[in-house]
Structures are given as structure tokens and as C-alpha cells.
Amino acid sequence: MISAYVDSGLGDEALSLFRSMKEDGLEPDSVALMSTLSAAASLSALKKGKEVHGFLIKQGFPVEESVASSLVDMYARCGALENSFKVFNLVKDKDPVLWTCMIHASGMHGCGKEAIELFDRMEMENTQPDHVTFLALLYACSHSGMIDEGKKYLQIMKENYNLEPWPEHYACVVDLLGRANRLKEAYQFVKSMPVEPNAVVWCALLGACHVHSNEELGNIAAGKLLELEPENPGNYVLVSNVFASAGKWDDVELVRERMKERGLRKIPACSWIEMRDKVHTFMARDKNHPQSYLIYEKLAEIIEILKKEGGYTAQTKYVLHNVDEDEKTKMLYGHSERLAIAYALLESPKGAPIRVTKNLRVCGDCHVFIKLVSKFFDREIIVRDASRFHHFCQGSCSCGDFW
Ligand code: ZN
Ligand code: ZN
């Protein structure tokens, strides 16, 4: 039941079921504990995750094999990569899954160099990497902008290990080239793939076209994407965002119509934060939190300070709706991650790191906003969004403004 909750995206329910299990005096076994770890990971609920880790140790479960991998994954997804490394280093017999988890964890945090080091060590110990290992490695390269390395490992995968890459592997390389604004090369690469490019590949290309405002290739990728995966609402959102940022509101409307015809709905943006023993969830412009009034008051105060001290002005080009400038600014101010951060500044002790999780990507304006908050409020802010981790500290971000 716990794992069914986790699989359905109901991490909170999973954790409360785990609590009732203990209250009823039932001893959780390793399966229940691992499901609970993935619940904590899905919510980025570090305290809960640590609690389960502590429980595992108290009960004398050996931290090895799948338990070790689950812990590495949980800590990484809760934004505590150093704890992942601690667990990893303590395991004597490291299996391929554990190596892969650690490589993936490093990649998520933009630590491409560490991911490559891990892979080298893995090879030295004669542990056989598989498709998933290479996926983790290529993902790490792409999130650290390591183009040459990414291409090299794709080659190594084929030649040294005889593994035929999946479209997902190619997508990582497309992403890499795209991020570096080498869009033509990325498109050539897609066309030369020995397997049929799937939606993941086109999605990577489209994402890059969006970032670098390449309309021509963007149109091609958008068409392919909607043709290959017409039932995925995320694709329509991505395509309409591309049109919106180019100011082509008629096309945006057209995509929205097509989406409606199929009965698809956009996933609403949502951010959450663990405070004391509870996970607090915020939607955009949310007023449901019991302390809502104080949160908006705090948010207004933050914006005042950032404007005065940090020269912050809202970049309304990140609002993908056809509304006037004032409305755009209001929309930006109400983005869910800002509400979560304002709440954290209200409630958490001075100097404590702030960990926020968001279900979609952070927009460019919120990225600037959070950088400034980290500087002028002297807080480390760790944001996990749909694609990666951002570690904000003293006005800069670990992603190097590249995500
Ligand atoms: Zn935003
Ligand atoms: Zn960032």
C-alpha cells in the first residue's frame, strides 16, 4: 500500500501510512522501509528520510545492496549529496546499481566531474556498467555542459561495452549540444541517429530551441513531438511555451485548442517544503495556507529589499500568457517557489538552509529572484525542479544559469 501511494505520487499519504504502521506496533520490513525511503525522496523530505535511515540502523538492517542504493537516491533527491557520498563510501561490496545510483546522484547536482571519476573507479574495479549506468553518466555530462566527454562516453558505450544506445542516450547528447547553442549540429545528430528518434529526443531539441529562440528548428521539433506523443500534456505545454516566448499568440491558441480537443489538462505548478514535521504545499498565487496573509506580507518585504539592494526588476518575458505587463508582474510574484521561500524565511531559524521542491522547471525570473534572496538574506537555498538541482548561495547558482 505504501509503494502504491508512492507510485501514484502521493508521498504524504505513504509517509502517514508508515507512521500508522509503527503506531500499530507492526515492525516494518526492508521492503516497507525502502518504499518509505522513496516516499521521502519524492517529497524531498530530508528529515523523514533521515528518520527512516536511523530506524534502519537501529533495527540492524545491513546497509548494502538495494537498501544502500535507496539511501543514496533518497539523500540525493532530498538535496543532501554529501550524505549520499557518505552512505556510498561505507558500502564495501558495491554492486553496479549502487555505482549507477551514485553517478546519477552526482549528475542531478551538476557534479559532472565527480560522475566521471566514479565511472572511472567503477571501471577500475571491473564492475560492468549497463545501459542505465551510461544514461546516468551522459545525463551528468549534459547537466554540467561537458560536450566532449558526453560524446566520448557514447562512443565508449558502443565500442568498449557493446551496448547499443537507446534513444534516451542520444537525447542526452542532443541536450548537450542544444544547451551549448550548437543547434544545427544537434539537428544533424538527430537525423544521423541509427534508431528512429522518439519523443524524448525531439523534446530535448525543442527545449534547446526554446532556450536559444530558434524558431525554424523549433517548429520542426514541435511538429514531430506532437505527432509522436499526442497524449502527453507536457508536450503541448512545451510547444505552446515556445510559441508564446516568440510572441506567436495565435499558434499558442491553436495548440491549446488541440489540447482541449483531446481532453488534456496542463499540470498545475506546485512547490513544497518540509517545515518541522510537515510538508507544506503551495500552488501559484495560492491563498490556502493558514499563514497566507503573513506569507504575502513577507514576500512583499522581500521584493522591496531585492529591488532596493539588488536592482531586481521582474522580467515579464517569462510569463507565457497574453496579458498586460502589470498582470505579468503579478503572476511572476505569485510563482509557487517564491511562496515556499517566503514561508521558509518566516518560519525557519536564521541561517538554516532552505530546501524547496518544484514539480515543473523554475522560470528565469524566479531563478534571478532566488539568487538575490540567497545573497541578501544570507541563506543557502536548494531547489529541486523537474529537471535538476539548483544550489543557490551568495547570489549565484550551481547550475551556472544553464538549465
Ligand atoms: Zn517563476
Ligand atoms: Zn540554477
Side-chain angles (χ1 to χ4, degrees):
M1 195 61 220
I2 292 175
S3 83
Y5 274 139
V6 177
D7 290 342
S8 318
L10 300 166
D12 245 347
E13 282 78 355
L15 289 180
S16 86
L17 201 58
F18 176 71
R19 215 170 304 132
S20 349
M21 187 176 173
K22 286 205 303 191
E23 280 162 10
D24 286 353
L26 282 173
E27 285 292 309
D29 60 4
S30 65
V31 179
L33 287 166
M34 280 191 320
S35 303
T36 310
L37 279 179
S38 56
S42 70
L43 294 168
S44 287
L46 182 59
K47 260 189 225 147
K48 281 279 163 251
K50 278 186 174 163
E51 214 178 287
V52 178
H53 187 184
F55 188 80
L56 274 165
I57 293 170
K58 255 200 331 235
Q59 298 293 309
F61 284 104
V63 176
E64 54 188 30
E65 292 169 10
S66 48
V67 173
S69 301
S70 301
L71 283 170
V72 165
D73 182 61
M74 179 277 290
Y75 278 122
R77 291 211 273 154
C78 290
L81 186 64
E82 63 286 1
N83 291 24
S84 300
F85 269 109
K86 267 187 211 157
V87 172
F88 176 80
N89 289 332
L90 282 175
V91 180
K92 277 211 189 74
D93 285 319
K94 299 177 172 61
D95 62 16
V97 178
L98 181 62
W99 283 103
T100 302
C101 272
M102 198 61 239
I103 292 173
H104 184 245
S106 306
M108 257 195 273
H109 287 269
C111 300
K113 247 182 57 201
E114 285 79 354
I116 288 175
E117 271 166 29
L118 284 161
F119 182 77
D120 290 344
R121 276 172 61 195
M122 184 181 180
E123 275 191 316
M124 268 183 325
E125 295 192 12
N126 288 322
T127 310
Q128 195 69 14
D130 62 7
H131 277 97
V132 184
T133 314
F134 276 103
L135 200 53
L137 187 61
L138 289 171
Y139 169 88
C141 291
S142 105
H143 279 247
S144 303
M146 304 166 98
I147 300 182
D148 296 337
E149 289 85 349
K151 284 179 166 173
K152 183 180 106 185
Y153 286 112
L154 187 72
Q155 230 34 49
I156 289 180
M157 172 181 187
K158 288 191 266 193
E159 285 163 14
N160 301 14
Y161 292 96
N162 228 349
L163 295 168
E164 199 45 54
W166 298 336
E168 285 77 4
H169 295 96
Y170 292 109
C172 283
V173 177
V174 171
D175 189 67
L176 248 177
L177 293 168
R179 279 164 196 270
N181 202 2
R182 286 156 66 168
L183 290 169
K184 268 200 194 125
E185 195 182 336
Y187 185 46
Q188 283 308 325
F189 181 82
V190 171
K191 286 200 291 190
S192 68
M193 278 170 54
V195 293
E196 194 60 35
N198 66 1
V200 181
V201 175
W202 291 113
C203 197
L205 187 65
L206 184 62
C209 292
H210 181 31
V211 172
H212 299 292
S213 323
N214 185 319
E215 254 182 65
E216 193 195 332
L217 283 180
N219 274 330
I220 298 174
K224 290 279 186 191
L225 186 61
L226 295 186
E227 184 188 310
L228 284 167
E229 252 189 25
E231 299 300 330
N232 181 345
N235 292 339
Y236 290 89
V237 174
L238 185 58
V239 171
S240 72
N241 286 356
V242 173
F243 289 141
S245 61
K248 294 164 81 177
W249 301 110
D250 291 346
D251 289 329
V252 172
E253 206 38 55
L254 223 61
V255 175
R256 285 194 184 142
E257 284 300 316
R258 276 178 71 183
M259 204 172 158
K260 236 192 252 157
E261 274 164 25
R262 291 183 177 266
L264 300 171
R265 283 181 55 209
K266 186 176 166 176
I267 303 164
C270 160
S271 294
W272 56 94
I273 190 164
E274 188 187 32
M275 194 64 73
R276 286 183 278 280
D277 238 3
K278 234 186 131 243
V279 175
H280 299 258
T281 309
F282 298 90
M283 312 294 280
R285 304 172 95 173
D286 201 339
K287 296 227 163 74
N288 287 319
H289 195 277
Q291 279 159 279
S292 179
Y293 179 74
L294 290 172
I295 292 171
Y296 279 93
E297 214 179 49
K298 184 77 191 169
L299 195 57
E301 180 199 320
I302 297 169
I303 287 171
E304 246 350 276
I305 292 175
L306 297 190
K307 274 184 180 167
K308 232 191 253 153
E309 314 267 335
Y312 168 75
T313 45
Q315 302 170 69
T316 49
K317 67 171 179 181
Y318 291 110
V319 178
L320 305 170
H321 294 271
N322 196 13
V323 291
D324 70 37
E325 288 296 304
D326 268 4
E327 187 59 21
K328 283 185 180 178
T329 307
K330 262 192 218 146
M331 288 178 116
L332 285 173
Y333 286 180
H335 280 184
S336 60
E337 56 271 53
R338 300 189 196 211
L339 300 177
I341 288 169
Y343 178 61
L345 286 175
L346 268 180
E347 287 291 315
S348 62
K350 232 181 159 162
I354 298 172
R355 296 166 199 278
V356 179
T357 309
K358 185 176 185 187
N359 65 339
L360 307 174
R361 280 196 195 201
V362 176
C363 84
D365 194 61
C366 286
H367 200 264
V368 172
F369 173 89
I370 302 169
K371 281 203 284 190
L372 292 171
V373 171
S374 78
K375 184 170 172 196
F376 292 102
F377 291 81
D378 201 14
R379 290 287 189 114
E380 189 186 346
I381 304 174
I382 299 137
V383 179
R384 170 177 141 200
D385 74 3
S387 77
R388 64 171 300 144
F389 271 91
H390 302 264
H391 289 250
F392 296 91
C393 187
Q394 287 306 318
S396 58
C397 179
S398 62
C399 74
D401 301 331
F402 195 72
W403 75 100

